[in-house]
Amino acid sequence: MKRALMFLPVVLVVALGAILFAGIGKDPNRLESALIGKPVPEFNLADLQAPDSQHDQSLFKGQVSLLNVWGTWCPACRDEHDDLIWLAREKGVRIVGLNYKDDRQEALKWLKTLGDPYAVSVYDPRGTLGFDLGVYGAPETYFIDSQGIVRYRHVGVVNETVWNEKFLPLMEEYGDVSS
Amino acid sequence: MYPELGQMALILALLLASLLAVVPLVGSVTGREQLQAFSRPLSAGLFVFVALAFALLTHAFLTDDFSVAYVANNSNSMLPWYYKFSAVWGGHEGSLLLWILMLVGWTLAVAVFSRRLPTVMVSQVLSVMGMVTVGFLLFTILTSNPFDRILPNVPADGADLNPLLQDFGLIIHPPMLYMGYVGFSVAFAFAIAALINGRLDAAWARWSRPWTTVAWSFLSLGIALGSWWAYYELGWGGWWFWDPVENASLLPWLSGTALMHSLAVTEKRGVFKSWTVLLAIVTFSLSLLGTFLVRSGVLTSVHAFASDPERGTFLLILLAITIVSSLTLYAFRAPVVHVRARYAGLSREVFLLLNNVLLVASTLLVLLGTIYPLVLDYLDMGRLSIGEPFFNLTFSPLAVAAGLLLGAGIFSRWKKTDGGWLGRKLLWPLAASTLVTALVMVGYGEFKPWAFVGTFSASWVVIATFWDLWEKSGSRKGRLYGLKRQSRSYYGMVLGHLGMAIVMAGATIASNYGIERDVRMSPGDTAQVGDYKAVFVETGNRRGANFTAEYGRFEILDSEGDLVSVQMPEKRQYLVQRNVMTEAGIDAGLFRDIFIAVGERVAEDAWAIRLQYKPLVRWLWLGAIFMAAGGFLAISDRRYRIRDKVRDTDVPVPSGSKAGKPAEAAS
């Protein structure tokens, strides 16, 4: 009986090993948002181009949108910028930009020189909406259905592969009835 | 050509390691002395070739040989030479090579300093070390070759060392840490050898003790350096984040601490043998697990190397072979019968047993907290991370309890301690530490329950330790004579325990009475932090070797308005990788640090500034220095240098007579 007890460490280690083995190759940076299945948090922020007009969560009602969190301080945002333009112009995706913890002049200059993929640009210099969304780091892109419900969160750059693998299925599931 | 030589050296080292893993072991089981005699020369040769490979990799770094992929990825011609040198272990491949260099270094040390040990034991221990080396050399050569070339398109310049790692702390932190991690392989090898030949006795414990203590001392220093580095380099003034990789280094430290204490019991009293052997295996296994967690990418951490599933799988298989086979060996060979040595319910044995229970409980706690996210993910129950609150809440009571137990345990006697006698002994330390704690509370002007128990526990340890020293050093020939008569290992213990109390005091006071303020400041502004005033004088720019920096000039004034110091915290922009790093300005002192970090620029002439007043934060690292010093002092004790009188152990025992004789016989 006592001898049997001596086997306990081996058994525990094998169990632990199985769990570690399952963990290999999974991306620990894959983050799920607590907001999935919930409406976009309430906000009231100024437009980037027109400082006097305000936007709120009703911005996402009525059609499927991507909410893209970006800033001029974020090199990866530069990387995905051309892909966003491709999405907006070629695929006709409605992208709402959330200019996050940034400078308005810098951001406007960026959009002027690189092109503007955003249907609407919201200016969030203090990162209030970003905080409510639980933004981890730019760029992040949220898929929001026509009811204004967050359906998916993508951390990192959106490119053609990501679009085809992650967003296209969602588009088919929640896509506009009209289109 | 040099990198190819390095590659050759690694392959030759692998061959020598394979021989070392087999030949002396076969010799020891068959009782052939000629084969056992190979163990020392093989260990020396192994060391020479690994050191050669390491030297050649260092050469590639110092001469900017960017045709070597590892150099190109981790260095740059603009790096100052000392960072080129430390960049050798700034990435996965090179740090693995450093790991192996340490391992063969320890192997060599065992070969050199084991003249007094029976040949059978030495050859088995060295063989086990050889097996571990084979595994890691295979891992290096097959999956992480540091000498891989980028040919023919040699990059013009390297991608640079991560700026976070361009720091003095990083030059010495990994070598110290690895010395500790890998050093536990010696205790492990001794345990395995003892299991193989069934000699789990006091002599085995005595041989293992100094090696364990040295490894533990290095690990203590390594962890403290890491914490110090995080404190001033990561920029936000924390000193322990319960990050998976920090936990990975804490795990073997905790079980290694348990091992040191349980080895003491096994040596002195011949009890807890199975437990001690298990701890030796577990401690090294936790070192290996740490290596796996850092390098496989299963957990998110600031320290983790780029993840690679292939490497992760290989390492896990390596781990599985090492740990499962040694634990299986343990299951079959460890003694289960009761030993004759008896001890009462209240005795030093029991105190040390409780110490082990607490340390193992805290090990399991940290292990659980670290891998819990993985377990949940495995069971498909979602992802989450376990943060500081969990660890602080569960770890602190265990630490406090360990301190309280330590203070009482110091006075206890082997075999049997009279409860009433012990109680009377503890009366004065109890009164004194209550008084000290009350004074500390009054001094900081606020009562906090956690601060109270933490301070009490720390002062309890200090007072009990000195009380015991005072009583032991009483002598008719005077106090000085009595103090001189105490052994070095006793003083080592005193230092170690004081170190633990110092760390505990530092952690308690810094986290309970620290002040942290985030303020918006423009040049000319003044902000209050604790009793001090920080005046933001001006900003400026400067250029470093491979970065440009924007700095703020702060004057720190005390409550009378006198200048204490001038600090220039800065934000650095590194030129190659374009990262921005925060360099904090720290006015360091034994009793308090004042910490200033510049954050984001919030307006044209205003910055977010973090000001911190950190009382006793230095004590955290000071305590670790005490612990390590205690460890080194203890192993210099002359009893480890006295020749073992049991000469008959040198005679090899033919395997036939041992096969049917399980380990119980040894007790």
Side-chain angles (χ1 to χ4, degrees):
Chain A
M1 182 54 218
K2 277 206 152 176
R3 180 58 70 189
L5 208 61
M6 304 303 248
F7 284 89
L8 191 62
V10 194
V11 175
L12 288 177
V13 160
V14 170
L16 179 62
I19 289 165
L20 289 179
F21 183 74
I24 290 178
K26 285 195 188 170
D27 182 5
N29 292 314
R30 180 169 61 86
L31 291 170
E32 272 160 20
S33 172
L35 279 174
I36 302 233
K38 299 206 177 112
V40 175
E42 290 177 18
F43 66 95
N44 208 329
L45 291 166
D47 190 86
L48 180 66
Q49 280 94 349
D52 295 333
S53 63
Q54 298 279 321
H55 296 290
D56 61 24
Q57 59 278 11
S58 65
L59 188 60
F60 297 100
K61 292 273 164 69
Q63 55 184 316
V64 168
S65 336
L66 295 187
L67 173 61
N68 176 253
V69 183
W70 67 286
T72 56
W73 44 267
C74 146
C77 299
R78 174 70 192 81
D79 289 346
E80 71 170 358
H81 199 78
D82 294 335
D83 290 302
L84 292 181
I85 289 179
W86 167 76
L87 276 179
R89 299 204 178 138
E90 309 285 319
K91 299 278 170 182
V93 180
R94 178 179 189 250
I95 306 177
V96 176
L98 179 67
N99 181 248
Y100 178 60
K101 290 192 179 177
D102 205 355
D103 180 77
R104 189 189 297 265
Q105 296 314 317
E106 298 267 324
L108 289 174
K109 205 166 78 193
W110 162 296
L111 292 182
K112 208 169 162 191
T113 45
L114 300 172
D116 185 354
Y118 304 114
V120 181
S121 280
V122 181
Y123 181 52
D124 187 11
R126 287 171 214 280
T128 46
L129 177 56
F131 183 81
D132 289 341
L133 284 167
V135 169
Y136 182 76
E140 283 190 17
T141 304
Y142 294 78
F143 183 94
I144 296 162
D145 73 8
S146 53
Q147 309 301 311
I149 311 277
V150 178
R151 291 297 174 188
Y152 179 69
R153 171 196 196 184
H154 177 76
V155 179
V157 173
V158 174
N159 53 30
E160 197 175 339
T161 327
V162 172
W163 170 259
N164 287 334
E165 284 177 8
K166 306 279 164 73
F167 287 95
L168 214 51
L170 291 164
M171 211 65 187
E172 278 155 12
E173 188 177 348
Y174 299 102
D176 294 344
V177 194
S178 56
S179 66
Chain B
M1 187 191 71
Y2 288 121
E4 278 68 35
L5 277 181
Q7 170 100 45
M8 287 289 291
L10 275 187
I11 294 171
L12 285 171
L14 176 64
L15 296 177
L16 288 177
S18 316
L19 286 176
L20 178 62
V22 177
V23 176
L25 186 65
V26 170
S28 74
V29 209
T30 56
R32 276 193 276 177
E33 293 238 24
Q34 314 92 292
L35 294 185
Q36 295 175 33
F38 273 108
S39 63
R40 286 194 174 97
L42 279 174
S43 308
L46 179 59
F47 178 78
V48 167
F49 281 104
V50 174
L52 183 67
F54 192 82
L56 286 165
L57 186 62
T58 311
H59 176 264
F61 268 92
L62 294 179
T63 56
D64 292 329
D65 186 351
F66 297 123
S67 70
V68 177
Y70 179 64
V71 181
N73 288 332
N74 290 285
S75 185
N76 184 277
S77 53
M78 273 159 72
L79 270 186
W81 72 268
Y82 40 90
Y83 291 143
K84 281 180 186 168
F85 179 61
S86 70
V88 173
W89 53 83
H92 163 75
E93 289 89 346
S95 62
L96 190 65
L97 191 56
L98 178 70
W99 208 99
I100 296 173
L101 180 69
M102 299 284 175
L103 182 60
V104 297
W106 280 102
T107 312
L108 183 68
V110 174
V112 171
F113 298 112
S114 60
R115 298 287 165 202
R116 283 173 220 106
L117 264 56
T119 321
V120 182
M121 192 76 178
V122 175
S123 34
Q124 285 173 345
V125 168
L126 291 177
S127 270
V128 174
M129 307 274 295
M131 290 177 205
V132 179
T133 315
V134 168
F136 277 88
L137 277 172
L138 270 178
F139 180 50
T140 306
I141 295 172
L142 296 181
T143 73
S144 336
N145 187 354
F147 296 106
D148 270 348
R149 295 266 212 174
I150 319 175
L151 291 173
N153 297 317
V154 177
D157 209 335
D160 206 5
L161 178 65
N162 182 345
L164 265 180
L165 307 182
Q166 296 183 24
D167 178 79
F168 171 73
L170 190 90
I171 299 183
I172 48 175
H173 163 58
M176 284 290 161
L177 200 63
Y178 290 1
M179 276 298 271
Y181 268 170
V182 181
F184 285 129
S185 67
V186 182
F188 169 78
F190 270 104
I192 297 297
L195 283 175
I196 293 175
N197 62 24
R199 282 201 41 162
L200 282 168
D201 50 16
W204 157 73
R206 184 159 72 248
W207 296 325
S208 302
R209 275 185 82 180
W211 297 103
T212 310
T213 310
V214 174
W216 177 87
S217 302
F218 277 117
L219 189 59
S220 308
L221 282 181
I223 294 175
L225 277 168
S227 149
W228 178 55
W229 170 75
Y231 172 70
Y232 70 78
E233 184 67 28
L234 291 183
W236 295 110
W239 43 270
W240 192 263
F241 300 93
W242 296 109
D243 172 277
V245 173
E246 285 176 336
N247 293 349
S249 67
L250 188 64
L251 286 171
W253 187 86
L254 288 169
S255 70
T257 313
L259 174 62
M260 271 198 314
H261 289 92
S262 126
L263 273 171
V265 188
T266 306
E267 187 201 341
K268 299 271 189 204
R269 303 280 302 132
V271 289
F272 305 162
K273 284 174 190 164
S274 309
W275 176 241
T276 308
V277 167
L278 182 62
L279 271 181
I281 297 173
V282 164
T283 303
F284 184 59
S285 302
L286 288 172
S287 295
L288 292 178
L289 179 73
T291 311
F292 169 77
L293 289 181
V294 183
R295 291 162 198 277
S296 64
V298 293
L299 290 169
T300 322
S301 158
V302 288
H303 298 68
F305 294 99
S307 61
D308 178 343
E310 186 202 357
R311 284 175 188 164
T313 314
F314 193 107
L315 258 185
L316 194 63
I317 292 170
L318 198 62
L319 238 76
I321 294 174
T322 318
I323 301 175
V324 171
S325 59
S326 45
L327 285 179
T328 312
L329 182 70
Y330 170 83
F332 282 109
R333 303 277 298 176
V336 285
V337 291
H338 272 298
V339 283
R340 268 170 306 240
R342 293 278 167 208
Y343 48 89
L346 190 64
S347 61
R348 181 162 273 211
E349 287 92 326
V350 170
F351 273 106
L352 284 166
L353 185 66
L354 287 175
N355 143 303
N356 265 244
V357 168
L358 286 179
L359 282 165
V360 169
S362 47
T363 312
L364 288 177
L365 188 90
V366 176
L367 183 65
L368 184 74
T370 310
I371 61 165
Y372 189 65
L374 278 176
V375 177
L376 273 195
D377 193 35
Y378 179 69
L379 300 174
D380 251 340
M381 286 164 67
R383 292 180 81 87
L384 74 113
S385 58
I386 288 187
E388 289 188 46
F390 165 79
F391 289 108
N392 288 344
L393 192 71
T394 50
F395 194 80
S396 312
L398 287 173
V400 168
L404 296 178
L405 196 67
L406 197 169
I410 282 178
F411 297 111
S412 65
R413 300 277 165 85
W414 294 113
K415 294 182 193 170
K416 189 173 185 329
T417 308
D418 181 59
W421 174 84
L422 186 63
R424 283 192 297 281
K425 272 232 150 3
L426 293 176
L427 227 48
W428 279 111
L430 179 69
S433 32
T434 312
L435 183 68
V436 169
T437 312
L439 286 177
V440 170
M441 296 294 109
V442 171
Y444 283 105
E446 192 183 351
F447 175 84
K448 292 185 176 180
W450 271 118
F452 183 84
V453 290
T455 314
F456 179 82
S457 185
S459 46
W460 169 255
V461 171
V462 173
I463 290 164
T465 303
F466 278 121
W467 200 277
D468 183 54
L469 178 64
W470 184 258
E471 288 195 332
K472 281 215 170 71
S473 62
S475 157
R476 236 176 281 159
K477 294 186 188 168
R479 182 66 55 187
L480 200 63
Y481 177 81
L483 284 172
K484 270 188 191 155
R485 226 186 37 181
Q486 301 306 313
S487 67
R488 285 194 191 179
S489 46
Y490 177 72
Y491 280 118
M493 182 190 88
V494 168
L495 277 182
H497 287 163
L498 289 179
M500 140 119 182
I502 293 172
V503 170
M504 213 187 297
T508 305
I509 300 295
S511 39
N512 281 291
Y513 294 108
I515 298 170
E516 190 177 301
R517 292 194 61 197
D518 290 306
V519 285
R520 175 196 160 113
M521 287 178 90
S522 305
D525 287 357
T526 300
Q528 187 84 24
V529 54
D531 290 338
Y532 296 88
K533 264 199 188 96
V535 184
F536 190 175
V537 183
E538 55 173 3
T539 60
N541 291 296
R542 74 181 191 94
R543 242 195 106 90
N546 50 354
F547 60 86
T548 56
E550 205 177 18
Y551 66 85
R553 195 182 146 88
F554 288 81
E555 286 176 356
I556 299 170
L557 310 174
D558 65 13
S559 46
E560 266 99 59
D562 296 329
L563 184 68
V564 178
S565 77
V566 176
Q567 292 302 325
M568 317 249 252
E570 57 189 38
K571 287 187 85 141
R572 290 181 182 173
Q573 169 122 42
Y574 281 83
L575 301 175
V576 179
Q577 294 195 349
R578 316 288 318 167
N579 314 18
V580 177
M581 305 284 330
T582 308
E583 288 286 312
I586 301 171
D587 180 45
L590 184 58
F591 292 102
R592 57 106 191 92
D593 272 19
I594 296 165
F595 182 107
I596 304 176
V598 180
E600 286 178 61
R601 190 176 194 150
V602 286
E604 196 50 46
D605 63 339
W607 282 263
I609 307 287
R610 173 168 286 199
L611 297 167
Q612 291 184 76
Y613 165 75
K614 299 215 149 248
L616 301 199
V617 69
R618 299 272 139 188
W619 288 31
L620 287 161
W621 311 304
L622 184 72
I625 293 174
F626 265 70
M627 289 191 210
F632 290 121
L633 190 66
I635 60 145
S636 71
D637 196 295
R638 58 188 291 272
R639 70 203 188 88
Y640 293 121
R641 295 195 298 271
I642 299 169
R643 198 176 169 81
D644 194 2
K645 287 191 191 73
V646 202
R647 280 296 298 171
D648 62 343
T649 50
D650 271 16
V651 182
V653 187
S655 68
S657 71
K658 269 201 331 244
K661 213 163 83 177
E664 287 95 309
S667 61

